Coordinates of all heavy atoms in Angstrom, one line a residue:
M98 N -59.1 -45.3 -30.4 CA -58.3 -44.8 -31.5 C -58.2 -45.9 -32.6 O -58.0 -47.0 -32.3 CB -56.9 -44.5 -31.0 CG -56.0 -43.9 -32.0 SD -54.3 -43.4 -31.5 CE -54.3 -43.2 -29.8
T99 N -58.5 -45.5 -33.8 CA -58.4 -46.4 -34.9 C -57.0 -46.8 -35.2 O -56.1 -46.1 -34.8 CB -59.1 -45.9 -36.2 OG1 -58.3 -44.8 -36.6 CG2 -60.5 -45.4 -36.0
R100 N -56.8 -47.9 -35.9 CA -55.5 -48.4 -36.2 C -54.6 -47.4 -37.0 O -53.5 -47.2 -36.7 CB -55.6 -49.8 -36.9 CG -54.3 -50.5 -36.9 CD -54.0 -51.0 -35.6 NE -52.8 -51.9 -35.6 CZ -52.0 -52.0 -34.6 NH1 -52.2 -51.4 -33.5 NH2 -51.0 -52.8 -34.7
S101 N -55.3 -46.8 -38.0 CA -54.5 -45.8 -38.9 C -54.2 -44.6 -38.1 O -53.1 -44.0 -38.2 CB -55.3 -45.5 -40.1 OG -56.5 -44.8 -39.7
T102 N -55.1 -44.1 -37.2 CA -54.8 -43.0 -36.4 C -53.7 -43.3 -35.4 O -52.8 -42.5 -35.2 CB -56.1 -42.5 -35.6 OG1 -57.1 -42.3 -36.5 CG2 -55.8 -41.2 -34.8
E103 N -53.8 -44.4 -34.8 CA -52.7 -44.9 -33.9 C -51.3 -44.9 -34.5 O -50.3 -44.5 -34.0 CB -53.1 -46.2 -33.3 CG -52.1 -46.8 -32.2 CD -52.6 -48.1 -31.7 OE1 -53.8 -48.3 -31.6 OE2 -51.7 -48.9 -31.4
T104 N -51.3 -45.5 -35.7 CA -50.0 -45.6 -36.5 C -49.5 -44.2 -36.8 O -48.3 -43.9 -36.7 CB -50.2 -46.5 -37.7 OG1 -50.7 -47.7 -37.4 CG2 -48.9 -46.6 -38.5
A105 N -50.4 -43.3 -37.3 CA -50.0 -42.0 -37.7 C -49.5 -41.2 -36.4 O -48.5 -40.5 -36.5 CB -51.2 -41.2 -38.2
T106 N -50.1 -41.4 -35.3 CA -49.7 -40.7 -34.1 C -48.3 -41.2 -33.6 O -47.4 -40.4 -33.3 CB -50.7 -40.9 -32.9 OG1 -52.0 -40.4 -33.4 CG2 -50.3 -40.1 -31.7
L107 N -48.1 -42.5 -33.7 CA -46.8 -43.1 -33.3 C -45.7 -42.6 -34.3 O -44.6 -42.3 -33.8 CB -46.9 -44.6 -33.3 CG -47.7 -45.2 -32.1 CD1 -47.8 -46.7 -32.3 CD2 -47.1 -44.9 -30.8
T108 N -46.0 -42.6 -35.5 CA -45.1 -42.1 -36.5 C -44.8 -40.6 -36.3 O -43.6 -40.2 -36.3 CB -45.6 -42.3 -37.9 OG1 -45.9 -43.7 -38.1 CG2 -44.6 -41.9 -39.0
L109 N -45.8 -39.8 -36.0 CA -45.6 -38.4 -35.7 C -44.7 -38.3 -34.4 O -43.8 -37.4 -34.5 CB -46.9 -37.8 -35.4 CG -47.0 -36.3 -35.2 CD1 -46.4 -35.6 -36.4 CD2 -48.4 -35.8 -34.9
Y110 N -44.9 -39.1 -33.4 CA -44.0 -39.0 -32.2 C -42.6 -39.3 -32.6 O -41.7 -38.6 -32.0 CB -44.5 -40.0 -31.2 CG -43.7 -40.1 -29.9 CD1 -43.8 -39.1 -29.0 CD2 -42.8 -41.1 -29.7 CE1 -43.0 -39.2 -27.8 CE2 -42.0 -41.1 -28.6 CZ -42.1 -40.2 -27.6 OH -41.4 -40.3 -26.5
E111 N -42.3 -40.2 -33.4 CA -41.0 -40.6 -33.8 C -40.3 -39.6 -34.8 O -39.1 -39.4 -34.7 CB -40.9 -42.0 -34.4 CG -41.4 -43.1 -33.4 CD -41.6 -44.4 -34.1 OE1 -41.6 -44.5 -35.3 OE2 -41.9 -45.4 -33.3
E112 N -41.1 -39.0 -35.6 CA -40.6 -38.1 -36.7 C -40.5 -36.6 -36.3 O -39.7 -35.9 -36.8 CB -41.3 -38.3 -38.0 CG -41.1 -39.7 -38.5 CD -41.9 -40.0 -39.8 OE1 -42.6 -39.1 -40.3 OE2 -41.8 -41.1 -40.3
D113 N -41.6 -36.1 -35.6 CA -41.6 -34.7 -35.3 C -42.2 -34.5 -33.9 O -43.4 -34.4 -33.7 CB -42.5 -34.0 -36.4 CG -42.5 -32.5 -36.3 OD1 -42.0 -32.0 -35.2 OD2 -42.9 -31.8 -37.2
F114 N -41.3 -34.5 -32.9 CA -41.8 -34.5 -31.5 C -42.5 -33.2 -31.2 O -43.6 -33.3 -30.5 CB -40.5 -34.6 -30.6 CG -40.8 -34.6 -29.2 CD1 -41.4 -35.7 -28.6 CD2 -40.6 -33.5 -28.4 CE1 -41.8 -35.7 -27.3 CE2 -40.9 -33.5 -27.0 CZ -41.5 -34.6 -26.5
Y115 N -42.1 -32.1 -31.7 CA -42.8 -30.8 -31.5 C -44.2 -30.8 -32.0 O -45.2 -30.5 -31.3 CB -42.0 -29.6 -32.0 CG -42.7 -28.3 -31.8 CD1 -42.8 -27.8 -30.5 CD2 -43.3 -27.6 -32.8 CE1 -43.4 -26.6 -30.2 CE2 -43.9 -26.4 -32.5 CZ -44.0 -25.9 -31.2 OH -44.6 -24.7 -30.9
L116 N -44.4 -31.3 -33.2 CA -45.7 -31.4 -33.8 C -46.6 -32.4 -33.0 O -47.8 -32.2 -32.8 CB -45.7 -31.8 -35.2 CG -47.0 -31.9 -36.0 CD1 -47.7 -30.6 -35.9 CD2 -46.8 -32.3 -37.4
W117 N -46.0 -33.5 -32.5 CA -46.7 -34.5 -31.7 C -47.2 -33.8 -30.4 O -48.3 -34.0 -30.0 CB -45.8 -35.7 -31.4 CG -46.4 -36.6 -30.4 CD1 -47.3 -37.6 -30.7 CD2 -46.2 -36.7 -29.0 NE1 -47.6 -38.3 -29.5 CE2 -47.0 -37.7 -28.5 CE3 -45.5 -35.9 -28.1 CZ2 -47.1 -38.1 -27.1 CZ3 -45.5 -36.2 -26.7 CH2 -46.3 -37.3 -26.3
L118 N -46.3 -33.0 -29.8 CA -46.7 -32.3 -28.6 C -47.9 -31.3 -28.9 O -48.9 -31.3 -28.1 CB -45.6 -31.4 -28.0 CG -44.5 -32.1 -27.3 CD1 -43.4 -31.1 -26.9 CD2 -45.0 -32.8 -26.0
K119 N -47.9 -30.6 -29.9 CA -48.9 -29.7 -30.3 C -50.2 -30.4 -30.5 O -51.3 -30.1 -30.1 CB -48.6 -28.8 -31.5 CG -47.5 -27.8 -31.2 CD -47.1 -27.0 -32.4 CE -48.3 -26.4 -33.1 NZ -47.9 -25.5 -34.3
T120 N -50.1 -31.5 -31.3 CA -51.3 -32.3 -31.6 C -51.9 -33.0 -30.3 O -53.1 -32.9 -30.1 CB -50.9 -33.5 -32.6 OG1 -50.3 -32.9 -33.8 CG2 -52.1 -34.4 -33.0
T121 N -51.1 -33.5 -29.5 CA -51.5 -34.1 -28.2 C -52.2 -33.0 -27.3 O -53.3 -33.3 -26.8 CB -50.4 -34.7 -27.5 OG1 -49.8 -35.7 -28.3 CG2 -50.9 -35.4 -26.2
A122 N -51.6 -31.8 -27.2 CA -52.2 -30.8 -26.4 C -53.6 -30.4 -27.0 O -54.6 -30.2 -26.2 CB -51.3 -29.6 -26.4
E123 N -53.7 -30.3 -28.3 CA -55.0 -30.0 -29.0 C -56.0 -31.1 -28.7 O -57.2 -30.8 -28.4 CB -54.8 -29.8 -30.5 CG -54.4 -28.4 -30.9 CD -55.3 -27.3 -30.4 OE1 -56.6 -27.4 -30.6 OE2 -54.9 -26.4 -29.8
Q124 N -55.6 -32.3 -28.8 CA -56.5 -33.4 -28.5 C -57.1 -33.4 -27.1 O -58.2 -33.6 -26.8 CB -55.9 -34.7 -28.8 CG -55.6 -35.0 -30.3 CD -54.7 -36.2 -30.5 OE1 -53.9 -36.5 -29.7 NE2 -54.7 -36.7 -31.7
L125 N -56.2 -33.0 -26.2 CA -56.6 -33.0 -24.8 C -57.5 -31.8 -24.5 O -58.5 -31.9 -23.8 CB -55.3 -32.9 -23.9 CG -54.5 -34.2 -23.8 CD1 -53.2 -33.9 -23.1 CD2 -55.2 -35.3 -23.1
K126 N -57.2 -30.7 -25.1 CA -58.0 -29.4 -24.9 C -59.4 -29.7 -25.5 O -60.4 -29.2 -24.9 CB -57.4 -28.3 -25.7 CG -56.2 -27.7 -25.0 CD -55.6 -26.5 -25.8 CE -54.3 -26.1 -25.3 NZ -53.7 -25.1 -26.2
K127 N -59.5 -30.4 -26.6 CA -60.8 -30.6 -27.2 C -61.6 -31.8 -26.7 O -62.7 -32.1 -27.1 CB -60.6 -30.8 -28.8 CG -60.2 -29.5 -29.4 CD -60.0 -29.6 -30.9 CE -59.6 -28.3 -31.5 NZ -59.3 -28.4 -32.9
G128 N -60.9 -32.5 -25.7 CA -61.6 -33.6 -25.1 C -61.6 -34.9 -25.9 O -62.4 -35.8 -25.7
R129 N -60.8 -35.0 -26.9 CA -60.7 -36.1 -27.8 C -59.7 -37.1 -27.2 O -58.7 -37.5 -27.8 CB -60.3 -35.7 -29.2 CG -61.3 -34.8 -29.9 CD -61.1 -34.5 -31.3 NE -59.7 -34.5 -31.7 CZ -59.2 -33.5 -32.4 NH1 -59.9 -32.5 -32.8 NH2 -57.9 -33.6 -32.8
F130 N -60.0 -37.7 -26.1 CA -59.1 -38.5 -25.3 C -58.9 -39.8 -26.0 O -57.8 -40.4 -25.8 CB -59.7 -38.7 -23.9 CG -59.9 -37.4 -23.2 CD1 -61.2 -37.1 -22.8 CD2 -58.9 -36.6 -22.8 CE1 -61.4 -35.9 -22.2 CE2 -59.1 -35.4 -22.2 CZ -60.4 -35.0 -21.8
A131 N -59.8 -40.3 -26.8 CA -59.6 -41.6 -27.5 C -58.5 -41.5 -28.5 O -57.9 -42.5 -28.9 CB -60.9 -42.1 -28.1
E132 N -58.2 -40.3 -29.0 CA -57.2 -40.1 -30.0 C -55.8 -39.9 -29.5 O -54.8 -39.9 -30.2 CB -57.5 -38.9 -30.9 CG -58.9 -39.1 -31.6 CD -59.3 -37.9 -32.4 OE1 -58.4 -37.0 -32.7 OE2 -60.4 -37.8 -32.8
V133 N -55.7 -39.6 -28.1 CA -54.4 -39.3 -27.5 C -53.5 -40.5 -27.5 O -53.9 -41.7 -27.2 CB -54.6 -38.8 -26.1 CG1 -53.3 -38.6 -25.4 CG2 -55.4 -37.5 -26.1
D134 N -52.2 -40.3 -27.8 CA -51.2 -41.4 -27.7 C -50.8 -41.5 -26.3 O -49.8 -41.0 -25.8 CB -50.0 -40.9 -28.6 CG -48.8 -41.9 -28.6 OD1 -49.0 -43.0 -28.1 OD2 -47.8 -41.5 -29.2
L135 N -51.5 -42.3 -25.5 CA -51.3 -42.4 -24.1 C -50.0 -43.0 -23.7 O -49.3 -42.5 -22.8 CB -52.4 -43.3 -23.5 CG -53.8 -42.6 -23.3 CD1 -54.8 -43.5 -22.8 CD2 -53.7 -41.3 -22.5
D136 N -49.5 -44.0 -24.4 CA -48.2 -44.7 -24.0 C -47.1 -43.7 -24.1 O -46.3 -43.6 -23.1 CB -47.9 -45.8 -24.9 CG -48.9 -47.0 -24.8 OD1 -49.5 -47.1 -23.6 OD2 -49.1 -47.8 -25.7
N137 N -47.0 -42.9 -25.1 CA -45.9 -41.9 -25.2 C -46.1 -40.7 -24.3 O -45.2 -40.2 -23.8 CB -45.7 -41.5 -26.7 CG -45.1 -42.6 -27.5 OD1 -44.2 -43.2 -27.1 ND2 -45.6 -42.7 -28.7
L138 N -47.4 -40.3 -24.1 CA -47.7 -39.2 -23.2 C -47.2 -39.6 -21.8 O -46.6 -38.8 -21.1 CB -49.2 -38.9 -23.2 CG -49.6 -37.7 -22.3 CD1 -48.9 -36.5 -22.7 CD2 -51.1 -37.6 -22.4
I139 N -47.6 -40.8 -21.3 CA -47.2 -41.3 -20.0 C -45.7 -41.3 -19.9 O -45.1 -40.9 -18.9 CB -47.8 -42.7 -19.7 CG1 -49.3 -42.5 -19.5 CG2 -47.2 -43.3 -18.5 CD1 -50.1 -43.8 -19.6
E140 N -45.0 -41.8 -20.9 CA -43.6 -41.9 -20.9 C -42.9 -40.5 -20.7 O -42.0 -40.3 -19.9 CB -43.1 -42.6 -22.2 CG -41.6 -42.7 -22.2 CD -41.1 -43.3 -23.5 OE1 -41.8 -44.2 -24.0 OE2 -40.1 -42.9 -24.1
E141 N -43.5 -39.5 -21.5 CA -42.9 -38.2 -21.4 C -43.2 -37.5 -20.0 O -42.3 -36.8 -19.5 CB -43.6 -37.3 -22.5 CG -43.1 -37.7 -23.9 CD -41.6 -37.5 -24.0 OE1 -41.0 -36.6 -23.5 OE2 -41.0 -38.4 -24.7
I142 N -44.4 -37.8 -19.4 CA -44.7 -37.2 -18.1 C -43.7 -37.8 -17.1 O -43.2 -37.1 -16.2 CB -46.1 -37.4 -17.7 CG1 -47.0 -36.5 -18.7 CG2 -46.4 -37.1 -16.3 CD1 -48.5 -36.8 -18.5
E143 N -43.5 -39.1 -17.1 CA -42.6 -39.8 -16.2 C -41.2 -39.2 -16.3 O -40.5 -39.0 -15.4 CB -42.7 -41.3 -16.3 CG -43.9 -41.9 -15.8 CD -44.0 -43.4 -16.2 OE1 -43.3 -43.9 -17.0 OE2 -44.8 -44.1 -15.5
S144 N -40.8 -39.0 -17.6 CA -39.4 -38.6 -17.9 C -39.3 -37.1 -17.3 O -38.2 -36.8 -16.8 CB -39.2 -38.6 -19.4 OG -38.0 -38.0 -19.7
M145 N -40.3 -36.3 -17.5 CA -40.3 -35.0 -17.0 C -40.1 -34.9 -15.5 O -39.4 -34.2 -15.0 CB -41.6 -34.2 -17.4 CG -41.6 -32.8 -17.1 SD -43.0 -31.9 -17.7 CE -44.3 -32.7 -16.9
G146 N -40.8 -35.8 -14.8 CA -40.7 -35.9 -13.4 C -39.2 -36.3 -13.0 O -38.7 -35.7 -12.0
R147 N -38.6 -37.2 -13.6 CA -37.3 -37.6 -13.3 C -36.3 -36.5 -13.6 O -35.4 -36.2 -12.8 CB -36.8 -38.9 -14.2 CG -37.5 -40.2 -13.7 CD -36.8 -41.3 -14.4 NE -37.0 -41.3 -15.8 CZ -38.1 -41.8 -16.5 NH1 -39.0 -42.4 -15.8 NH2 -38.1 -41.8 -17.8
S148 N -36.5 -35.8 -14.7 CA -35.7 -34.6 -15.1 C -35.8 -33.5 -14.0 O -34.8 -33.0 -13.6 CB -36.1 -34.1 -16.4 OG -35.4 -33.0 -16.8
E149 N -37.0 -33.2 -13.6 CA -37.2 -32.2 -12.6 C -36.5 -32.6 -11.2 O -35.9 -31.7 -10.6 CB -38.7 -31.9 -12.3 CG -39.3 -31.3 -13.5 CD -38.9 -29.9 -13.9 OE1 -38.6 -29.1 -12.9 OE2 -38.7 -29.6 -15.0
R150 N -36.6 -33.8 -10.9 CA -36.0 -34.3 -9.6 C -34.5 -34.2 -9.7 O -33.8 -33.7 -8.8 CB -36.4 -35.7 -9.4 CG -36.9 -36.0 -8.0 CD -37.3 -37.4 -7.7 NE -37.3 -38.4 -8.8 CZ -38.3 -38.9 -9.5 NH1 -39.5 -38.4 -9.2 NH2 -38.1 -39.8 -10.4
H151 N -33.9 -34.6 -10.9 CA -32.5 -34.5 -11.1 C -32.0 -33.0 -11.0 O -31.0 -32.7 -10.4 CB -32.1 -35.1 -12.4 CG -30.7 -35.0 -12.8 ND1 -29.7 -35.7 -12.1 CD2 -30.0 -34.2 -13.6 CE1 -28.5 -35.4 -12.6 NE2 -28.7 -34.5 -13.5
A152 N -32.8 -32.1 -11.7 CA -32.4 -30.7 -11.7 C -32.4 -30.1 -10.3 O -31.5 -29.4 -9.9 CB -33.4 -29.9 -12.6
L153 N -33.4 -30.5 -9.5 CA -33.5 -30.0 -8.1 C -32.3 -30.5 -7.3 O -31.7 -29.7 -6.6 CB -34.8 -30.5 -7.5 CG -35.0 -30.1 -6.0 CD1 -35.0 -28.5 -5.9 CD2 -36.3 -30.6 -5.5
K154 N -32.0 -31.8 -7.4 CA -30.9 -32.3 -6.7 C -29.6 -31.6 -7.1 O -28.8 -31.3 -6.2 CB -30.7 -33.8 -7.0 CG -29.6 -34.5 -6.3 CD -29.6 -36.0 -6.6 CE -28.3 -36.6 -5.9 NZ -28.2 -38.0 -6.3
S155 N -29.4 -31.3 -8.4 CA -28.2 -30.6 -8.8 C -28.1 -29.2 -8.3 O -27.1 -28.8 -7.8 CB -28.2 -30.6 -10.4 OG -27.1 -29.9 -10.9
L156 N -29.2 -28.5 -8.3 CA -29.3 -27.1 -7.8 C -29.0 -27.1 -6.3 O -28.3 -26.2 -5.8 CB -30.6 -26.5 -8.1 CG -30.8 -26.1 -9.6 CD1 -32.2 -25.6 -9.8 CD2 -29.8 -25.0 -10.0
L157 N -29.6 -28.1 -5.5 CA -29.3 -28.1 -4.1 C -27.9 -28.4 -3.8 O -27.3 -27.9 -2.9 CB -30.2 -29.2 -3.4 CG -31.7 -28.7 -3.3 CD1 -32.5 -29.9 -2.8 CD2 -31.9 -27.5 -2.4
T158 N -27.3 -29.3 -4.6 CA -25.9 -29.6 -4.4 C -25.0 -28.4 -4.6 O -24.1 -28.1 -3.8 CB -25.4 -30.8 -5.4 OG1 -26.2 -31.9 -5.1 CG2 -24.0 -31.1 -5.2
R159 N -25.3 -27.7 -5.7 CA -24.6 -26.4 -6.0 C -24.7 -25.4 -4.9 O -23.7 -24.7 -4.5 CB -25.0 -25.9 -7.3 CG -24.3 -24.5 -7.6 CD -24.7 -24.0 -9.0 NE -23.8 -24.6 -9.9 CZ -24.0 -24.7 -11.2 NH1 -25.1 -24.2 -11.7 NH2 -23.1 -25.3 -12.0
L160 N -25.9 -25.3 -4.3 CA -26.2 -24.3 -3.3 C -25.3 -24.7 -2.0 O -24.7 -23.8 -1.4 CB -27.7 -24.3 -2.9 CG -28.1 -23.5 -1.7 CD1 -27.7 -22.0 -2.0 CD2 -29.5 -23.7 -1.4
L161 N -25.3 -26.0 -1.7 CA -24.5 -26.4 -0.5 C -23.1 -26.2 -0.7 O -22.3 -25.8 0.2 CB -24.8 -27.9 -0.2 CG -26.2 -28.2 0.4 CD1 -26.4 -29.7 0.4 CD2 -26.4 -27.6 1.7
E162 N -22.6 -26.5 -2.0 CA -21.2 -26.2 -2.3 C -20.8 -24.7 -2.0 O -19.8 -24.4 -1.4 CB -20.9 -26.6 -3.7 CG -20.8 -28.1 -4.0 CD -20.7 -28.4 -5.4 OE1 -20.8 -27.5 -6.3 OE2 -20.5 -29.6 -5.7
H163 N -21.7 -23.8 -2.5 CA -21.4 -22.4 -2.4 C -21.5 -22.0 -0.9 O -20.7 -21.1 -0.5 CB -22.3 -21.6 -3.2 CG -22.0 -21.6 -4.7 ND1 -20.9 -20.9 -5.2 CD2 -22.6 -22.3 -5.7 CE1 -20.8 -21.2 -6.5 NE2 -21.8 -22.0 -6.8
L164 N -22.4 -22.5 -0.2 CA -22.5 -22.2 1.3 C -21.3 -22.7 2.0 O -20.7 -21.9 2.9 CB -23.8 -22.8 1.9 CG -25.1 -22.1 1.4 CD1 -26.3 -23.0 2.0 CD2 -25.2 -20.7 1.9
L165 N -20.8 -23.9 1.7 CA -19.5 -24.3 2.3 C -18.3 -23.4 1.9 O -17.6 -23.1 2.8 CB -19.3 -25.8 1.9 CG -20.1 -26.8 2.6 CD1 -20.0 -28.2 1.9 CD2 -19.8 -26.9 4.0
K166 N -18.3 -23.1 0.7 CA -17.1 -22.2 0.3 C -17.2 -20.9 1.0 O -16.2 -20.3 1.4 CB -17.2 -22.0 -1.3 CG -16.8 -23.2 -2.1 CD -17.0 -22.9 -3.6 CE -16.6 -24.1 -4.4 NZ -16.8 -23.9 -5.8
L167 N -18.4 -20.3 1.1 CA -18.6 -19.1 1.8 C -18.2 -19.1 3.2 O -17.5 -18.3 3.8 CB -20.0 -18.6 1.6 CG -20.4 -17.2 2.3 CD1 -19.6 -16.1 1.6 CD2 -21.9 -16.9 2.2
T168 N -18.6 -20.2 3.9 CA -18.2 -20.4 5.3 C -16.7 -20.5 5.5 O -16.2 -19.9 6.3 CB -18.9 -21.7 5.8 OG1 -20.3 -21.6 5.7 CG2 -18.6 -22.0 7.3
Y169 N -16.1 -21.3 4.7 CA -14.6 -21.5 4.8 C -13.9 -20.2 4.3 O -12.8 -19.9 4.9 CB -14.1 -22.7 4.1 CG -14.5 -24.0 4.8 CD1 -15.5 -24.8 4.4 CD2 -13.9 -24.3 6.0 CE1 -15.8 -26.0 5.1 CE2 -14.2 -25.4 6.8 CZ -15.2 -26.2 6.3 OH -15.5 -27.4 7.0
W170 N -14.4 -19.5 3.4 CA -13.8 -18.3 2.9 C -13.8 -17.3 4.0 O -12.9 -16.5 4.3 CB -14.5 -17.8 1.7 CG -13.9 -16.5 1.2 CD1 -12.8 -16.4 0.5 CD2 -14.4 -15.2 1.3 NE1 -12.6 -15.0 0.2 CE2 -13.6 -14.3 0.7 CE3 -15.6 -14.7 2.0 CZ2 -13.8 -12.9 0.7 CZ3 -15.8 -13.3 1.9 CH2 -14.9 -12.5 1.3
Q171 N -14.9 -17.2 4.8 CA -15.1 -16.3 5.9 C -14.0 -16.5 7.0 O -13.4 -15.7 7.5 CB -16.5 -16.4 6.5 CG -17.6 -15.9 5.6 CD -17.6 -14.3 5.6 OE1 -16.9 -13.6 6.3 NE2 -18.5 -13.8 4.7
S172 N -13.8 -17.8 7.3 CA -12.9 -18.2 8.3 C -11.4 -17.9 7.9 O -10.6 -17.5 8.7 CB -13.1 -19.7 8.8 OG -12.7 -20.5 7.7
E173 N -11.1 -18.1 6.6 CA -9.8 -17.8 6.1 C -9.6 -16.3 6.0 O -8.5 -15.9 6.3 CB -9.7 -18.4 4.6 CG -9.6 -19.9 4.6 CD -8.3 -20.4 5.2 OE1 -7.2 -19.8 5.0 OE2 -8.4 -21.4 5.9
R174 N -10.6 -15.6 5.7 CA -10.5 -14.1 5.6 C -10.2 -13.5 7.0 O -9.4 -12.5 7.1 CB -11.8 -13.5 5.0 CG -11.6 -12.0 4.7 CD -12.9 -11.5 4.1 NE -13.8 -11.4 5.3 CZ -15.0 -10.9 5.2 NH1 -15.5 -10.5 4.0 NH2 -15.8 -10.7 6.2
D175 N -10.8 -14.1 8.0 CA -10.6 -13.6 9.4 C -9.2 -13.8 9.9 O -8.7 -13.0 10.7 CB -11.6 -14.2 10.4 CG -13.0 -13.8 10.1 OD1 -13.2 -12.8 9.4 OD2 -13.9 -14.5 10.5
R176 N -8.5 -14.8 9.3 CA -7.1 -15.0 9.7 C -6.3 -14.0 9.1 O -5.3 -13.4 9.2 CB -6.6 -16.4 9.2 CG -7.1 -17.5 10.0 CD -6.3 -18.7 9.6 NE -7.2 -19.9 9.7 CZ -6.9 -21.0 9.4 NH1 -5.8 -21.3 8.8 NH2 -7.8 -22.0 9.5

């Protein structure tokens, strides 16, 4: 990646995230790997992984809470 392309891509990432995503996807589809903003792409992929893990943990916690409520509600209802 040339210095001017690198600077433009970094500026694009900071100023218009959606356009940066579209541009990066196009570069990957066309096989122009030398133009891809790897540092920010890696950061976004790692962040996505953390976000997905957090969402899964949150959903599992909610599921367990509801199962516990249902169990205790059943025992209260039987009384």
Side-chain angles (χ1 to χ4, degrees):
M98 184 178 339
T99 64
R100 194 70 173 150
S101 62
T102 305
E103 183 178 325
T104 304
T106 305
L107 289 174
T108 303
L109 185 60
Y110 177 78
E111 295 167 355
E112 292 179 1
D113 189 345
F114 182 72
Y115 181 69
L116 183 57
W117 175 83
L118 282 175
K119 287 177 56 176
T120 303
T121 301
E123 276 302 309
Q124 290 167 337
L125 291 170
K126 286 178 190 175
K127 292 179 179 178
R129 297 188 328 230
F130 304 115
E132 297 175 19
V133 173
D134 178 10
L135 285 178
D136 292 335
N137 287 319
L138 180 60
I139 290 167
E140 181 181 324
E141 290 301 321
I142 291 171
E143 288 173 342
S144 174
M145 185 174 61
R147 285 189 300 271
S148 176
E149 293 295 320
R150 230 179 359 258
H151 176 72
L153 178 61
K154 182 180 175 183
S155 178
L156 289 172
L157 287 173
T158 301
R159 177 175 274 160
L160 175 63
L161 288 172
E162 288 172 351
H163 285 286
L164 289 172
L165 284 169
K166 288 177 184 178
L167 181 62
T168 300
Y169 285 108
W170 179 77
Q171 292 283 356
S172 66
E173 288 295 317
R174 189 179 76 176
D175 292 341
R176 284 192 212 173

